[in-house]
Amino acid sequence: QVQLVESGGAMVQPGGSLTISCRASGFTFSNFHMGWYRQVPGSERELVALISETADTTQYVDSVKGRFTISRDNAKDTLYLQMNALKPEDTAVYYCNTNRRLHLVLPWGQGTQVTVSA
């Protein structure tokens, strides 16, 4: 069964750092261009970062450039997002999935809550 399980979310202070993870199973993870998405209640899901199958290319939304780093470990079927210099506007539920412009959408996981507050 296809599963995407996000973990590592927490409440952090502005300016703090946090790394979240996505463990994939039930499909060949290394064959998929992956991404991190986030969603605030009442708003549409926003693409945050993308990474190619072999991690040779990455892309970021302007609001997180220079602060977030997406990476992957294909041997562990795991996707990571390192977040530095966090801002209150980063508060959201973070999800992982495929690049929907290239692949079929997989079932969404539960997401992991990141809250940035003083």
Side-chain angles (χ1 to χ4, degrees), residues 10-18 86 114-118:
M11 184 179 73
V12 297
Q13 300 296 119
S17 297
L18 190 68
L86 283 161
V114 175
T115 301
V116 185
S117 177

Side-chain angles (χ1 to χ4, degrees), residues 15-80:
S17 297
L18 190 68
T19 298
I20 56 176
S21 302
C22 169
R23 172 66 165 80
S25 60
F27 66 100
T28 306
F29 177 74
S30 61
N31 287 345
F32 288 80
H33 194 126
M34 299 294 296
W36 281 100
Y37 304 79
R38 65 187 181 187
Q39 188 169 32
V40 177
S43 301
E44 67 178 354
R45 204 187 312 269
E46 173 191 29
L47 176 66
V48 176
L50 292 170
I51 187 167
S52 62
E53 294 89 334
T54 57
D56 58 319
T57 59
T58 58
Q59 299 178 64
Y60 301 90
V61 68
D62 287 344
S63 60
V64 308
K65 286 181 179 177
R67 300 189 298 118
F68 289 13
T69 302
I70 187 171
S71 62
R72 66 193 297 162
D73 186 340
N74 287 343
K76 297 181 178 180
D77 293 341
T78 302
L79 186 71
Y80 303 96

